[in-house]
Amino acid sequence: MIASPTLMSASELLTYDARGRRTELVKGKLLVREPVGGAHAGVLFELTVAIGVYLRSTNAVAGRVLVGDPGFWLAHDPDTVRAPDLAFLSQERLKGGPISEGFLKSVPDLAVEIRSPNDRAGALLQKVGEWLDAGTPLVWVIDPIRTCAQAYHADGSVTLVGANEALHGAPVLPGFVLPLASLWGDR
């Protein structure tokens, strides 16, 4: 008889020492990933600045941008905690309160995953599905290597964005348009 592995809880994940690695929890199973590379970090910076400028220049949308793999508690017993590269939460989702310590118990309005060279397409699609199933209205997957992106919408539609096209933030960030090429820096 083979004993089943012990499942980890979200509370245990909060205190787990991953030694500088990025962690997530999927149905109680620990997922450990290596730190991201330079291209990934550069895209995250450019995207964070662009959304930040947009939020400061318009009163149409108020909310918070979170980066650095913020943990969102998506399921319980067994626990799932996912961490996007960037998340946007509207004031409506924040309910006017401060962001608490620990994992967030709501879902973001926008979750952004930046594909790393070692990310598998199937694993990324699983993560996109988990975001959408949990109630995230918009998920972007940005691929710096292939210089393209996909926008996954709550209604099940997918928008493919080529290197010379733009990401659109509607309905989460109305009026936000970002030329994808601006994310690649001086390549």
Side-chain angles (χ1 to χ4, degrees):
M1 176 181 232
I2 298 174
S4 63
T6 304
L7 299 180
M8 181 181 273
S9 71
S11 298
E12 291 168 318
L13 180 61
L14 270 176
T15 59
Y16 180 75
D17 180 9
R19 300 182 184 187
R21 292 189 173 129
R22 302 162 64 207
T23 59
E24 292 179 307
L25 198 60
V26 179
K27 296 181 182 173
K29 295 179 184 172
L30 182 66
L31 215 88
V32 179
R33 300 178 302 171
E34 296 301 321
V36 299
H40 185 285
V43 168
L44 179 57
F45 172 78
E46 295 297 336
L47 183 60
T48 303
V49 168
I51 293 175
V53 167
Y54 164 81
L55 290 174
R56 285 182 169 79
S57 68
T58 180
N59 291 326
V61 176
R64 296 286 307 269
V65 175
L66 304 177
V67 296
D69 298 315
F72 290 85
W73 201 339
L74 300 183
H76 302 278
D77 298 322
D79 294 347
T80 294
V81 176
R82 286 298 202 166
D85 293 301
L86 180 144
F88 169 75
L89 288 96
S90 66
Q91 286 294 52
E92 185 177 304
R93 275 204 206 258
L94 292 170
K95 297 179 176 64
I99 295 174
S100 63
E101 291 296 323
F103 300 126
L104 290 97
K105 293 187 172 88
S106 65
V107 295
D109 295 271
L110 168 66
V112 179
E113 301 292 345
I114 301 169
R115 189 171 186 180
S116 296
N118 58 348
D119 284 341
R120 294 187 166 191
L124 269 175
L125 286 175
Q126 175 186 346
K127 197 169 179 181
V128 167
E130 290 170 355
W131 287 120
L132 294 171
D133 289 345
T136 300
L138 181 60
V139 181
W140 290 343
V141 175
I142 299 172
D143 189 336
I145 295 167
R146 292 176 183 83
T147 62
C148 64
Q150 298 86 35
Y152 296 86
H153 306 270
D155 67 3
S157 64
V158 179
T159 304
L160 304 176
V161 183
N164 297 315
E165 297 176 321
L167 277 168
H168 294 266
V172 173
L173 302 169
F176 179 79
V177 178
L178 179 67
L180 203 57
S182 70
L183 297 177
W184 318 136
D186 296 321
R187 281 193 182 193

